Structures are given as C-alpha cells and as structure tokens.
Amino acid sequence: MPATATPTVLTARALLLDMDGTLVNSDAVVERIWRHWAERHGLDGDEVMKVVHGRQGHASMAVLLPGRSVEQNLADNARMLAEETADTDGVVEIPGARAFLAALAGLPHALVTSADVALSTARMNAAGLPLPAVRVTAESVGASKPDPEGFLKGAAELGVDPADCVVFEDSGAGIAAGRAAGMTVVGVGPRAVLHDPDVAVRDLTQVRVEAGADGVVRLHIG
C-alpha cells in the first residue's frame, strides 16, 4: 500500500507507538541538545540532525563518530539523556495524541521508544499525555532502532503476533524497525513521508480508533 492520507481502514490486534515525533513533539529540545553536541565535536549540525531521530543516542554517535569506542559513546549518551530529561521547554503533544491515547484505553497497545524510562516519563508528562501500561524503553532492548527488537518485544508483551500489529512512527529508523518486524507502519508527520511508510498522516487528528467486538481494532485513516 503506498503512503497516503486518503481514507483507509487498517485492522490490528495491537498498536505499538513510538513517542518522539509520534505522540510528543520534542523537536525543540532535540535540536538544542544535538546541535550543541555537534558543535562540540566539530560536526555539521544539519548532517547530525539527519541521523539522530528514532535511534538511541549512543547508536547515533556510533554512526556519526565511527572511530569512537562503545564505552565513550555510552558515557556521552548518559550525559545527553540527563540533559534531555531536564529540558522539557517546548515539549508538547502531537495534535490529536491525547484523544488518540484516550481511544486506546482498554485496548492492546504499548509505547516503544528509544528514550529511557526517565526521559520518556518526563516528556509524556510535559506533554500532558498518559503513559501506556506496557512500555518498551531503551533499558528493555539490546539493539536500537532500526533493529526490530523493541517492536517484537512490545508484541510479545501484549501476546499478539507481529503480523497483527500496527506501528506508529515518525523516523526513518523507526519505520525500518517496524517493517523489519513484519508490521504495518503508519507514518506520522513530515519526516515519515520521506521513508515510505505503508500509510502516512499529517498528525493523529487523522486517525480514528474503532474497537470491534471480535477483538480487532479498526483504524480509520484520513
């Protein structure tokens, strides 16, 4: 199915939701923190921003500074996470996110994010959004997106076959991870369109959730 905002109905038994760029607009913080990091390391900020969305910080660093040790990247990442967690200025919900999550109450869904517990909690709280009961965070996985591990873990925790899951993502790394997990991917926002999700929406106001008596969730897109 080509990426489209044309009215479409998708069916699923569980939804797996990225956070940054999908439920929460944290671009202002991400830009501040990562452009400062790029300046410290003599890298072009625009090129850095093309890499960092969707990945864990240390995985982005491994791409951007391939000569550095894993230990250096992990230590740098820990400092970056602390900075990001303390800075919630400008963090807001993606339009429609609050209503979308409210519609999912009681339905199988999970947050699958490259943020850790502290950062995901801080950003969801700053945006005024409830945290899903099932959460797969950076601490839960051994490999960052675009590896599918996080989405596969989310499906397993919900007891749903990966093929019956729909992923909501905004980044190239996240869309690749959802696709590698064998799931249908809904791309959210302008970044997503560049990476050929199965369906694309401007924001979550274009998604309506319908719970079926048969346990199937119907997503009305467009």
Side-chain angles (χ1 to χ4, degrees), residues 58 61-62 65-77:
H58 64 85
M61 292 170 191
L65 295 174
R68 278 212 318 185
S69 70
V70 172
E71 291 75 20
Q72 282 180 295
N73 288 339
L74 288 172
D76 208 0
N77 184 53

Side-chain angles (χ1 to χ4, degrees), residues 19-205:
M19 182 182 70
D20 293 301
T22 301
L23 298 173
V24 170
N25 183 347
S26 56
D27 281 0
V29 180
V30 174
E31 288 269 345
R32 281 195 296 272
I33 299 291
W34 277 100
R35 285 186 181 276
H36 186 216
W37 181 89
E39 187 178 330
R40 288 201 307 269
H41 293 281
L43 299 175
D44 181 85
D46 290 340
E47 293 305 311
V48 166
M49 295 313 301
K50 292 177 184 178
V51 172
V52 300
H53 292 290
R55 291 181 171 87
Q56 291 185 36
H58 64 85
S60 295
M61 292 170 191
V63 173
L64 293 162
L65 295 174
R68 278 212 318 185
S69 70
V70 172
E71 291 75 20
Q72 282 180 295
N73 288 339
L74 288 172
D76 208 0
N77 184 53
R79 289 190 291 270
M80 295 271 286
L81 282 170
E83 287 182 55
E84 289 185 278
T85 301
D87 184 355
T88 56
D89 188 25
V91 174
V92 296
E93 69 165 317
I94 293 293
R98 190 175 288 107
F100 177 64
L101 288 170
L104 293 180
L107 300 176
H109 68 287
L111 188 72
V112 181
T113 175
S114 294
D116 63 5
V117 169
L119 180 57
S120 57
T121 301
R123 285 187 175 164
M124 291 289 280
N125 287 343
L129 299 176
L131 279 160
V134 177
R135 299 187 287 277
V136 179
T137 60
E139 297 94 337
S140 310
V141 298
S144 172
K145 300 171 186 176
D147 191 282
E149 181 186 358
F151 287 125
L152 293 173
K153 280 201 168 187
E157 286 199 34
L158 294 170
V160 176
D161 189 277
D164 292 327
C165 295
V166 170
V167 165
F168 282 75
E169 264 287 358
D170 75 301
S171 70
I175 289 167
R179 186 172 288 122
M183 301 171 180
T184 299
V185 181
V186 176
V188 180
R191 272 194 299 270
V193 177
L194 304 175
H195 302 284
D196 298 320
D198 296 296
V199 177
V201 295
R202 178 185 64 253
D203 55 42
L204 294 171
T205 64

